[in-house]
Each structure stands twice: as C-alpha cells, then as structure tokens.
C-alpha cells in the first residue's frame, strides 16, 4: 500500500490558468500556501514540448512558499502508451522540479489496474514523492492501493450533491481520497471541504468556474484563509 498523505482536509488546486496573463491568481495561491495539499502544474495539457518560462517562474514561487507541485499528465483512460506517459513525467521533473505527478483521465476498471500500477512504480523511480490518479469516479479498490491520492470525484456541484460513496473506501484513510467540484456557487465553495470529509475525502477543491476550463477560475475564499489548513 502507498504511503499515507499528510494533506488531510487541505486543498488540491488545479489552477489551469496562464501565469503570464493571470498573475494575481498565482500570487493568491502562493499567499494561501498553508492551506494547500498541492497545486497541479499544467502548462500545455501536460509539460508541453519545451520549458515555458512563465510556468517555470510560477513553479519556483510556489516551491519557495512550500507548496507541493504536481505535474499534470494525461493518460487518456489508459490509451496512452507507458513510455509516453513516463516521458511527460520526466519533463515535468526536469523542467519544473515538481514534487509528484497528477495522472489525469485515469482508468477505473480492473483490466487497467496493472497499467496504472506500472505507471506509479515508474513515477516513483523518477523521484515522484506523490502519485495522484484521477479517474474522477470511484474505481476498482486496487487503484487506491497503487496511488498516494485518488480523485474519486470530478464534476459539477449538481452531480456532487448526489454522490454515493462505496463501502470499500472505509478501508483506507480519508486523506487518500480527493474530490474536485466545479460549477459551485461562490458561497457554497466554502462548504465543499466539510462535505468531502463527510464523504470520506480529506482533500478537495471547489470553484464557481464552468465551461471547457472551469479550473481557470480560482476559488473565491482563498484570500480569506491564507495560512489556515483544512478550510476553503
């Protein structure tokens, strides 16, 4: 079983905004470092083909503030080859000195579990201190054994209201699960971390953003909780 995460009740921020044009959003996240389980660094739906200076500078500022960085890698629900995914992990490490990896669009079925176990082993061999799988649903329980953090919900507030949590999750600490919620009203964003904890997820994030990139909109409560862990 993977090591337990110390990030109970904290925020995992998928800040998919360009630092060169949205510097205030990145500065707010730096100022809220104490509430962060991590920030997902996503220059070009992955690391891209070359170092992006604006993202390198933003990554350095976050590291200096003590915020763990996770490099975004698309796994196409198991459709990308192992070597392609690992190459992206290496680029994130070499170009942005990330602490771990966020393997997005992860598979969820037992048939894909060996592929993701192998990816986790390869990522850790490349010095990833945290491996996050994001199937966005509750997958086969074996995925929770392979990952350090498993995103078991990504979707809208309306979908989140009806989320049902399978019994098998009780076999793992809540800190091993995370929920990412978009389309949440600005006032309700503050309620999501507590609701996530009630649903056995110690890591969460909520944004009022909608559309093709809801994660380009920062959670409005961040400024109010700078340095306060476990709140939104």
């Amino acid at each position: 079983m993977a090591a337990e995460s110390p990030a109970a009740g904290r925020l995992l921020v998928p800040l998919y905004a360009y630092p060169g044009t949205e510097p205030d959003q990145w500065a707010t996240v730096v100022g809220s470092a104490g509430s962060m389980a991590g920030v997902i660094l996503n220059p070009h739906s992955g690391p891209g083909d070359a170092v992006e200076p604006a993202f390198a500078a933003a990554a350095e500022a976050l590291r200096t503030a003590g915020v763990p960085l996770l490099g975004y890698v698309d796994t196409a629900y198991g459709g990308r080859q192992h070597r392609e995914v690992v190459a992206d992990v290496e680029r994130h490490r070499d170009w942005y000195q990330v602490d771990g990896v966020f393997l997005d669009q992860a598979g969820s079925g037992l048939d894909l579990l060996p592929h993701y176990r192998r990816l986790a082993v390869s990522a850790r061999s490349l010095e990833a201190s945290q491996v996050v799988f994001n199937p966005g649903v509750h997958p086969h329980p074996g995925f929770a054994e392979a990952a350090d953090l498993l995103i078991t919900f990504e979707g809208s507030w309306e979908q989140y209201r009806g989320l049902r949590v399978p019994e098998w999750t009780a076999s793992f600490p809540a800190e091993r699960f995370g929920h990412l919620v978009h389309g949440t009203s600005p006032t309700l964003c503050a309620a999501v971390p507590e609701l996530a904890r009630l649903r056995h997820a110690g890591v969460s994030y909520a944004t009022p953003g909608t559309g093709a990139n809801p994660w380009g909109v920062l959670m409005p409560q961040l400024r109010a909780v700078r340095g306060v862990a476990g709140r939104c």
Side-chain angles (χ1 to χ4, degrees):
M1 182 178 291
E4 292 186 20
S5 166
R10 293 189 179 183
L11 304 177
L12 177 65
V13 181
L15 182 53
Y16 300 165
Y18 182 58
T21 56
E22 302 286 348
D24 289 348
Q25 293 201 56
W26 289 85
T28 296
V29 172
V30 169
S32 305
S35 63
M36 297 293 151
V39 169
I40 303 165
L41 200 70
N42 185 14
H44 296 286
S45 296
D49 296 324
V51 177
E52 172 57 63
F55 276 95
E60 182 178 2
L62 288 164
R63 280 196 309 275
T64 300
V67 178
L69 296 178
L70 303 174
Y72 177 98
V73 180
D74 182 7
T75 69
Y77 301 105
R80 294 187 74 199
Q81 295 295 315
H82 178 88
R83 66 178 180 276
E84 295 176 313
V85 175
V86 172
D88 278 356
V89 174
E90 288 183 294
R91 292 186 186 104
H92 271 300
R93 180 200 63 183
D94 295 343
W95 296 347
Y96 301 109
Q97 293 79 57
V98 298
D99 303 288
V101 294
F102 182 86
L103 300 180
D104 196 26
Q105 298 197 105
S108 60
L110 180 60
D111 59 323
L112 286 172
L113 182 55
H115 174 64
Y116 283 90
R117 281 176 171 160
R118 187 177 172 217
L119 287 176
V121 169
S122 295
R124 293 186 180 107
S125 74
L126 293 170
E127 302 177 350
S129 61
Q130 188 173 32
V131 176
V132 181
F133 293 163
N134 180 26
V137 297
H138 285 92
H140 183 278
F143 284 82
E145 297 176 352
D148 298 299
L149 176 63
L150 188 64
I151 305 301
T152 52
F153 179 86
E154 180 181 354
S156 70
W157 168 255
E158 289 302 317
Q159 294 168 322
Y160 192 53
R161 291 174 63 186
L163 180 67
R164 296 292 181 267
V165 179
E167 292 183 1
W168 66 259
T169 59
S171 300
F172 298 87
E175 293 81 7
R176 298 284 291 279
F177 301 104
H179 294 164
L180 303 177
V181 189
H182 57 72
T184 310
S185 73
T187 54
L188 283 174
C189 282
V192 167
E194 180 58 28
L195 183 54
R197 280 191 288 270
L198 291 173
R199 293 172 170 179
H200 201 63
V203 177
S204 64
Y205 185 70
T207 175
T210 58
N213 179 26
W215 310 117
V217 179
L218 199 63
M219 174 184 278
Q221 285 81 12
L222 275 179
R223 289 183 176 84
V225 295
R226 290 184 177 182
V228 180
R231 294 283 304 279
C232 156

